[in-house]
Amino acid sequence: MDQWLSEIFKSYKNQPNVLIGVLQKIQDKIGYIPEDSIEQISKFLKISRSKIFGVASFYSQFKFT
């Protein structure tokens, strides 16, 4: 896992309902949501990749490329 992604996760440790905040921080950092970070988010938040894609694709602010 990239160090910057670990830092984002640390800032959200033990907080419920942080998916949108995590996605926003990742996009702010690199300009989009890379597919490999979806897997890491899934493991960190213990939610499915499809739920993450569903939330991220619902909001027009998030980009995958």
Side-chain angles (χ1 to χ4, degrees):
M1 178 185 320
D2 294 325
Q3 181 64 30
W4 63 268
L5 195 52
S6 286
E7 292 300 317
I8 289 173
F9 290 163
K10 282 181 191 176
S11 69
Y12 285 102
K13 190 170 182 158
N14 299 322
Q15 295 181 30
N17 304 316
V18 298
L19 176 57
I20 292 175
V22 169
L23 292 170
Q24 287 171 329
K25 287 220 178 203
I26 291 171
Q27 183 152 300
D28 287 347
K29 176 75 176 170
I30 58 174
Y32 69 102
I33 310 296
E35 190 170 340
D36 61 334
S37 69
I38 299 290
E39 183 66 32
Q40 298 301 320
I41 295 167
S42 175
K43 289 177 184 176
F44 173 70
L45 296 178
K46 296 177 177 63
I47 58 176
S48 70
R49 293 178 63 205
S50 62
K51 179 170 180 147
I52 297 166
F53 276 114
V55 169
S57 62
F58 178 79
Y59 294 99
S60 62
Q61 74 187 57
F62 297 119
K63 302 175 195 124
F64 294 104
T65 57

